Amino acid sequence: MEAGEILLRRGLLDERQLEMARRSNGDTSVMDTVVDLGFVSEEDALRALGEEVGLDYIDLAEADVDLSLLKSFPQKLIHRHSLFPIRLEHGLLVVATADPFDLYPLDEVSAHTGLAVSPVLASRQEITKLIKRHLGVGSETVDGLMEQADDNGLEILSEIETDGSELSEMAQEASVIRLVNEILLEAIESRASDVHIESQSSGFVIRYRIDGMLQRQPTPPEINRFQAAIVSRLKIMARLNIAEKRLPQDGRIKLKVAGREVDIRVSVIPMIHGESLVMRILDKGSMVFDLQKLGMEPDTYAVYHELINLPHGIVLVTGPTGSGKTTTLYSSLLEIRSDANKIITTEDPVEYQLDGINQIQVHPKIGLTFAQSLRSILRHDPDVVLVGEIRDLETAENAVQASLTGHLVFSTLHTNDAAGAFTRLVDMGVEPFLVASTVEAIMAQRLVRRLCPHCKESYRPTDDEFPPDFPREKLPADAMLCRPRGCRQCRGTGYAGRMGIYELLVTTESIRELAHERASTWDIKQAAVKSGMRTLRDDGWLKAIAGKTSLDEVLRITKGDRLVKMAATSE
């Protein structure tokens, strides 16, 4: 009896669903089709089929797996048939499979190992996770199984050009294409923001930056033989010169994955052990620019919402690279976008294309700099202007001039805190009175990791575990904090996703006077705290008290400001 009939008889499917699955299953089995269509969960289907054919179902996430069995287990069967050895029990080799009706591969395992095989059923997704975790990304390519060269749902939107060289031809082999596609797909599915492919003395290393932290990916040692081909394939995809191995190069790859566009910025730099690549992944389909969902406290959002609706002035967002400045600015523009105003941006690069907003890509090599494009923008009758970054005096002066002529100007600066923006602009050469009169507010921000909602655990820190500057008065006596534990949903890290912490400095009259007098960053921050500014550290503590992040994460990301507060309160 086929799987569909069994599921129908056991009440997991009805006649209509089974008929629909049979019509649309194509090359896949009926069971895979009904799972893909959402008619039944894979676990329920496998349990029912297992009871029918006399096989047990196991949860691989909870099972103890004897990894030493991999040494003698035929890897080609692991990849081709989704098999995985679990344990040796009373002379029987227990093997997980996702297909209760395809037992021929188990006979091959028995012939290869010389052991009797006892099959158990497990989720195909969990078996795949085990394979990637313990055999590494791309291990099936190294094992020579990639001649089937399907593209895993990854489509390159730009044309591939090759120069006919031997290296170029090697990079176009089906196995290399499949391997590179798998590396990119795994990164996108893992929500990685960057992929680091590094050439080291010990060999090839692949690391993904997930939620701001680099995580090394397991790879089989044989992948080192594919190093030149992998680098060449990525350079071809990014339309770079594969023959140039002495100079840094920058390129771009446009992909479509599962129906959504993904933009990848590629940077190649020659190192002493070979070329290293870093790829910044911009997953356009997964980005949501909503100011109210970034992590701002309600009172911070209320003030910031008023600021971005001002008729003129400068609003700055500051922080290091990768702190979410672009997301905050894009969300701000979308919040104030309407048919009644014209918004123009000048960026390097334009990371995401926004409907209803006019965006300019700067090209310094041909003279189209931030300063030059900003001068042109002001002749284009804008209401709101976004300058990607204020890097030099000319850009800063043009931004000031734009605000003085009745425009609202958004931009970014690289400073450690909000107060540092004033001294940074003055150091660039902008007159202090202009800085004082045009800058309406500065928002400093960082990104902290969110605790995984599936596994975070509550606890009450001991007195020694509380950081010295933690505001214990804001934590009720019976309240609990949360810390990471780790589960399969968060890949054992204890965190899933990130959120912003914010320090909003509104330019009051007292701060304008200090800026006009070239006061130090310390004095300006002290005055801002005195007038009620919540620092990055304070905002982080609020997130920890609310159970959204951990104390360790706030300590990792922020710098203590106890001395500033003591100085502010002592006056």
Side-chain angles (χ1 to χ4, degrees):
M1 185 180 290
E2 65 152 339
E5 293 289 345
I6 295 172
L7 297 177
L8 176 66
R9 182 160 51 80
R10 287 180 167 261
L12 295 176
L13 292 179
D14 58 35
E15 293 281 1
R16 182 188 60 83
Q17 291 173 330
L18 179 57
E19 184 59 32
M20 189 183 301
R22 284 172 172 166
R23 285 201 308 267
S24 59
N25 68 333
D27 295 330
T28 61
S29 68
V30 170
M31 196 195 88
D32 288 339
T33 303
V34 297
V35 170
D36 290 341
L37 291 173
F39 294 155
V40 63
S41 71
E42 185 179 17
E43 180 178 343
D44 288 344
L46 286 174
R47 286 186 185 279
L49 296 175
E51 290 175 8
E52 192 75 21
V53 298
L55 296 179
D56 291 332
Y57 176 88
I58 65 167
D59 184 352
L60 290 182
E62 305 295 334
D64 292 326
V65 180
D66 185 356
L67 298 178
S68 65
L69 297 173
L70 287 172
K71 295 176 183 177
S72 58
F73 200 89
Q75 284 201 15
K76 64 180 182 179
L77 296 179
I78 290 179
H79 300 298
R80 186 175 295 157
H81 299 288
S82 289
L83 304 179
F84 204 91
I86 304 300
R87 60 183 176 271
L88 198 58
E89 190 174 74
H90 308 303
L92 290 175
L93 179 61
V94 179
V95 177
T97 176
D99 190 342
F101 299 108
D102 186 12
L103 301 181
Y104 174 72
L106 298 173
D107 294 335
E108 287 192 62
V109 171
S110 181
H112 188 279
T113 60
L115 296 168
V117 173
S118 174
V120 292
L121 297 180
S123 158
R124 189 178 301 275
Q125 184 179 13
E126 293 299 329
I127 293 175
T128 301
K129 283 183 182 178
L130 271 183
I131 292 171
K132 287 185 176 179
R133 186 182 308 135
H134 299 297
L135 296 178
V137 176
S139 54
E140 61 267 52
T141 301
V142 176
D143 209 44
L145 298 177
M146 293 309 175
E147 285 78 14
Q148 308 124 351
D150 65 71
D151 59 10
N152 282 339
L154 184 148
E155 177 187 351
I156 302 171
L157 298 181
S158 54
E159 290 187 11
I160 295 292
E161 297 180 1
T162 61
D163 57 11
S165 65
E166 182 179 349
L167 192 57
S168 173
E169 292 302 316
M170 187 190 307
Q172 293 301 100
E173 290 181 4
S175 58
V176 175
I177 292 173
R178 181 74 177 269
L179 172 54
V180 169
N181 286 358
E182 185 183 341
I183 291 171
L184 295 176
L185 281 168
E186 179 72 9
I188 293 166
E189 289 170 3
S190 302
R191 301 178 296 101
S193 60
D194 302 85
V195 179
H196 293 240
I197 298 180
E198 302 165 333
S199 300
Q200 300 182 0
S201 58
S202 58
F204 213 32
V205 173
I206 299 176
R207 295 193 289 171
Y208 296 160
R209 188 177 295 279
I210 302 173
D211 293 336
M213 304 292 285
L214 279 171
Q215 299 179 16
R216 182 165 178 166
Q217 301 303 302
T219 53
E222 294 83 2
I223 201 172
N224 294 325
R225 293 190 287 117
F226 292 83
Q227 179 172 343
I230 291 170
V231 172
S232 296
R233 170 64 183 171
L234 287 167
K235 287 169 76 173
I236 289 171
M237 292 170 70
R239 304 175 72 87
L240 300 177
N241 182 0
I242 65 170
E244 178 56 76
K245 299 182 180 181
R246 300 167 300 171
L247 295 173
Q249 297 186 72
D250 294 310
R252 182 174 179 176
I253 303 171
K254 287 186 175 183
L255 302 175
K256 182 171 281 189
V257 178
R260 67 181 194 268
E261 286 191 17
V262 177
D263 205 2
I264 299 177
R265 306 286 161 80
V266 182
S267 172
V268 185
I269 298 181
M271 305 287 184
I272 59 173
H273 296 295
E275 292 177 290
S276 287
L277 290 88
V278 173
M279 294 178 283
R280 166 63 59 88
I281 298 174
L282 303 173
D283 190 348
K284 300 178 181 180
S286 67
M287 283 301 297
V288 177
F289 296 110
D290 187 337
L291 204 56
Q292 297 190 59
K293 295 181 179 178
L294 299 184
M296 289 185 198
E297 295 298 316
D299 56 344
T300 302
Y301 168 77
V303 175
Y304 186 71
H305 180 74
E306 290 183 18
L307 290 165
I308 63 177
N309 281 282
L310 290 172
H312 56 78
I314 298 176
V315 176
L316 297 173
V317 179
T318 76
T321 302
S323 59
K325 299 188 298 295
T326 299
T327 301
T328 298
L329 287 174
Y330 278 180
S331 300
S332 303
L333 294 182
L334 290 177
E335 181 138 326
I336 62 175
R337 175 187 61 183
S338 75
D339 291 338
N341 60 24
K342 179 157 186 169
I343 302 174
I344 306 180
T345 75
T346 174
E347 306 168 60
D348 183 22
V350 174
E351 294 192 4
Y352 297 94
Q353 297 173 22
L354 307 175
D355 290 336
I357 292 174
N358 304 276
Q359 296 171 275
I360 299 171
Q361 169 73 58
V362 303
H363 291 286
K365 290 182 180 179
I366 61 172
L368 185 58
T369 60
F370 280 128
Q372 176 62 42
S373 60
L374 186 50
R375 280 198 298 271
S376 300
I377 285 171
L378 296 182
R379 296 192 290 271
H380 220 67
D381 190 30
D383 297 290
V384 180
V385 176
L386 166 65
V387 183
E389 183 183 345
I390 295 178
R391 296 175 179 170
D392 51 43
L393 175 59
E394 188 180 6
T395 307
E397 288 179 334
N398 286 342
V400 167
Q401 189 61 37
S403 71
L404 290 173
T405 52
H407 304 88
L408 181 60
V409 180
F410 292 95
S411 192
T412 69
L413 273 178
H414 288 288
T415 61
N416 290 325
D417 56 17
F422 291 103
T423 50
R424 180 84 179 92
L425 289 171
V426 172
D427 288 344
M428 280 185 184
V430 182
E431 290 293 338
F433 75 90
L434 290 174
V435 175
S437 61
T438 57
V439 175
E440 296 294 336
I442 302 106
M443 174 81 88
Q445 69 176 77
R446 299 289 189 278
L447 293 176
V448 295
R449 291 180 292 171
R450 290 180 186 268
L451 285 167
C452 174
H454 301 284
C455 67
K456 67 179 181 181
E457 63 180 7
S458 300
Y459 77 111
R460 180 75 185 189
T462 63
D463 289 343
D464 293 338
E465 290 176 321
F466 277 113
D469 59 338
F470 183 84
R472 296 199 200 185
E473 68 279 2
K474 294 183 180 179
L475 186 68
D478 58 345
M480 306 285 278
L481 298 179
C482 294
R483 60 188 173 193
R485 194 172 71 222
C487 65
R488 61 177 167 179
Q489 273 85 0
C490 62
R491 296 177 173 233
T493 64
Y495 298 94
R498 290 189 289 176
M499 66 191 305
I501 56 174
Y502 300 92
E503 176 178 290
L504 180 58
L505 192 162
V506 179
T507 312
T508 61
E509 287 306 315
S510 62
I511 289 175
R512 289 192 199 279
E513 290 177 12
L514 289 170
H516 187 275
E517 295 166 4
R518 297 176 181 263
S520 67
T521 298
W522 169 273
D523 291 333
I524 293 173
K525 185 168 186 176
Q526 188 178 317
V529 169
K530 192 174 181 180
S531 64
M533 181 186 77
R534 183 187 298 127
T535 65
L536 286 167
R537 186 84 147 196
D538 288 337
D539 202 42
W541 293 143
L542 288 182
K543 303 291 191 296
I545 290 170
K548 297 175 182 177
T549 191
S550 65
L551 293 181
D552 288 342
E553 187 68 3
V554 177
L555 291 170
R556 182 179 72 86
I557 292 295
T558 64
K559 180 181 176 184
D561 40 43
R562 189 166 45 155
L563 294 178
V564 176
K565 292 180 187 175
M566 289 171 60
T569 55
S570 65
E571 291 187 355

